[in-house]
């Protein structure tokens, strides 16, 4: 029996087990949808007041300087000097101790040999950068921009132009409005509507995929992960973790353009392109090549299954690189 036949062959007992698990999953998804609809209806019947934030509020603003730097961990890279020598660790340690800088981790970058430092806050990063510029000018120091969250806003009752949706959310949500009117850095005001697309389960409704700053994500969490849009019912905000997957070989981390690996089917893991799969109509023939190669026994699903264990592992790793989630 060939390797391909081993992958796609399923015994009768396995088929029954798969069908039972799929039915359980469908029932679970249906219960989740019903619970979410009830939640939205409850929110409509008893709407939560918008957060009114003014300079005189006793409660701390979610974007003020102290909280922002406390919540946003910062990475900086200390380059080798002109002679190719890395920064002296004892000198680096002294600089951190003298100025009371909180260091979470220090390590060497494999590709360049430069020194990376993860700091507790943006303020610590600025302090250390200035210290090194003064005491070790032979080393260039670069602050690495923090990765930002991607959210999905669901419950839109019609399609919106990107600018239209951006303007509405900025004007109708007091926390975000105040943030944009403040003098915080531009990176904290990031609000990029990527797309507005219809829901697969309900084409008459839409969802918006939006990239936001860590600070705006913090503001939304203060609003119970809801946003006000137009005159429609309040919309729910969900976190999204998109992992790039090659449509040619199905591996993560690169595009299919330029992929030199052999084609692998995203449905059955066979050695052919997904579009040429002749068993795609049979859900029981599904087999995830990534789970197969990683030794995961739960591989009876397509490579694009949102509940794929291998995908969930990558999403968990991505989550750990975004400051907003690290503070939880």
């Amino acid at each position: 029996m060939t390797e391909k036949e081993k992958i796609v062959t399923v015994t009768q007992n396995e088929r029954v087990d798969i069908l039972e698990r799929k039915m359980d999953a469908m029932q679970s998804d249906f219960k989740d949808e019903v619970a979410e609809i009830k939640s939205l209806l409850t929110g409509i019947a008893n709407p939560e007041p918008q957060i009114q934030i003014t300079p005189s509020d006793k409660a701390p603003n979610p974007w003020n300087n102290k909280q922002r730097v406390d919540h946003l961990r910062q990475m900086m890279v200390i380059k080798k000097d002109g002679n190719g020598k890395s920064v002296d660790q004892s000198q680096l340690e002294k600089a951190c101790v003298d100025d009371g800088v909180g260091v979470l981790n220090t390590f060497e970058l494999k590709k360049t040999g430069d020194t990376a430092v993860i700091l507790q806050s943006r303020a610590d990063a600025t302090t250390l950068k200035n210290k090194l510029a003064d005491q070790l000018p032979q080393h260039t120091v670069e602050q690495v921009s923090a990765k930002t969250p991607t959210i999905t806003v669901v419950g839109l009752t019609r399609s919106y132009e990107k600018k239209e949706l951006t303007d509405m959310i900025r004007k109708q949500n007091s926390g975000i409005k105040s943030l944009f009117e403040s003098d915080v850095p531009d990176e904290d005001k990031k609000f990029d509507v990527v797309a507005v697309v219809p829901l697969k389960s309900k084409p008459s409704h839409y969802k918006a995929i939006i990239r936001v700053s860590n600070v705006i994500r913090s503001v939304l969490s203060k609003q119970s992960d809801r946003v006000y849009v137009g005159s429609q019912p309040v919309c729910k905000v969900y976190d999204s973790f998109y992992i790039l997957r090659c449509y040619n070989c199905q591996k993560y981390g690169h595009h299919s353009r330029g992929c030199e690996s052999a084609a692998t089917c995203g449905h059955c893991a066979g050695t052919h392109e997904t579009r040429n799969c002749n068993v795609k109509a049979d859900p029981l023939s599904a087999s995830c090549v990534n789970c197969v190669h990683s030794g995961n026994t739960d591989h009876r699903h397509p490579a694009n299954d949102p509940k794929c264990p291998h995908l969930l592992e990558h999403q968990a790793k991505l989550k750990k690189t975004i400051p907003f989630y690290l503070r939880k």
Side-chain angles (χ1 to χ4, degrees):
M1 182 179 292
T2 66
E3 186 64 26
K4 176 183 175 182
E5 290 173 331
K6 290 180 181 179
I7 293 176
V8 301
T9 299
V10 183
T11 65
Q12 187 64 33
N13 289 336
E14 285 179 315
R15 288 177 177 268
V16 172
D17 180 60
I18 291 170
L19 282 171
E20 289 178 345
R21 286 193 292 131
K22 285 185 176 292
M23 288 297 295
D24 290 341
M26 290 174 65
Q27 291 176 354
S28 176
D29 289 344
F30 178 73
K31 290 179 180 178
D32 290 343
E33 288 184 9
V34 171
E36 180 60 29
I37 291 172
K38 288 182 178 179
S39 174
L40 289 174
L41 289 175
T42 301
I44 294 170
N46 304 288
E48 295 183 8
Q50 290 199 39
I51 299 174
Q52 300 297 327
I53 299 175
T54 65
S56 62
D57 278 347
K58 293 182 180 179
N61 293 344
W63 60 83
N64 68 31
N65 186 66
K66 183 180 184 304
Q67 285 200 28
R68 186 170 67 250
V69 297
D70 282 348
H71 291 168
L72 297 185
R73 298 180 180 183
Q74 185 75 47
M75 174 176 173
M76 64 192 318
V77 176
I78 306 171
K79 301 285 188 178
K80 293 179 179 179
D81 62 19
N83 298 319
K85 185 178 180 181
S86 299
V87 65
D88 183 271
Q89 290 297 317
S90 61
Q91 291 180 307
L92 175 60
E93 183 179 77
K94 186 177 185 305
C96 294
V97 174
D98 288 349
D99 281 29
V101 172
V103 178
L104 298 174
N105 195 13
T106 303
F107 55 94
E108 180 182 299
L109 297 176
K110 293 182 179 180
K111 291 184 178 180
T112 63
D114 295 329
T115 302
V117 184
I118 308 294
L119 297 127
Q120 178 63 31
S121 69
R122 191 181 289 174
D124 282 342
T126 300
T127 298
L128 182 58
K129 183 177 181 180
N130 293 337
K131 185 80 169 183
L132 295 178
D134 180 53
Q135 297 188 353
L136 301 172
Q138 68 273 28
H139 293 283
T140 301
V141 180
E142 297 179 353
Q143 286 186 229
V144 180
S145 298
K147 289 188 177 181
T148 55
T150 297
I151 61 172
T152 299
V153 176
V154 301
L156 299 174
T157 54
R158 69 175 178 86
S159 181
Y160 292 89
E161 295 294 328
K162 295 179 181 179
K163 186 179 184 306
E164 177 188 20
L165 183 60
T166 299
D167 290 343
M168 294 176 77
I169 292 178
R170 284 176 56 176
K171 292 177 180 178
Q172 291 185 263
N173 296 268
S174 59
I176 296 176
K177 180 181 179 181
S178 298
L179 172 64
F180 274 89
E181 292 173 350
S182 67
D183 59 354
V184 300
D186 287 342
E187 64 182 288
D188 290 342
K189 299 178 181 180
K190 178 177 181 179
F191 192 94
D192 180 19
V193 178
V194 179
V196 179
V197 296
L199 297 174
K200 291 183 179 179
S201 58
K202 194 173 185 180
S204 61
H205 283 64
Y206 297 78
K207 66 179 180 181
I209 301 167
I210 309 173
R211 294 193 186 100
V212 299
S213 71
N214 287 281
V215 181
I216 288 181
R217 185 64 189 88
S218 179
V219 172
L220 293 174
S221 71
K222 299 289 184 181
Q223 295 186 181
S224 301
D225 290 331
R226 296 181 178 186
V227 290
Y228 303 96
V229 182
S231 59
Q232 64 178 27
V234 65
C235 294
K236 186 69 176 174
V237 173
Y238 294 95
D239 293 300
S240 299
F241 302 97
Y242 292 96
I243 305 296
L244 179 64
R245 179 173 58 85
C246 174
Y247 292 160
N248 179 57
C249 70
Q250 310 306 323
K251 294 180 180 178
Y252 297 115
H254 65 274
H255 286 283
S256 56
R257 297 190 303 271
C259 176
E260 298 180 355
S261 299
T264 302
C265 180
H267 176 76
C268 72
T271 55
H272 53 262
E273 293 184 358
T274 306
R275 61 185 176 182
N276 296 329
C277 182
N278 56 16
V279 294
K280 194 187 300 184
D282 180 10
L284 300 181
S285 65
S287 181
C288 173
V289 64
N290 291 314
C291 286
V292 170
H293 288 169
S294 64
N296 195 318
T297 55
D298 183 15
H299 63 83
R300 292 299 179 184
H301 54 265
N304 64 349
D305 189 330
K307 295 183 180 180
C308 167
H310 201 64
L311 172 63
L312 295 178
E313 289 178 10
H314 278 72
Q315 290 178 327
K317 291 179 181 178
L318 173 60
K319 188 174 182 179
K320 292 179 180 179
T321 68
I322 301 175
F324 170 77
Y325 306 106
L326 292 176
R327 69 180 181 81
K328 291 188 173 182

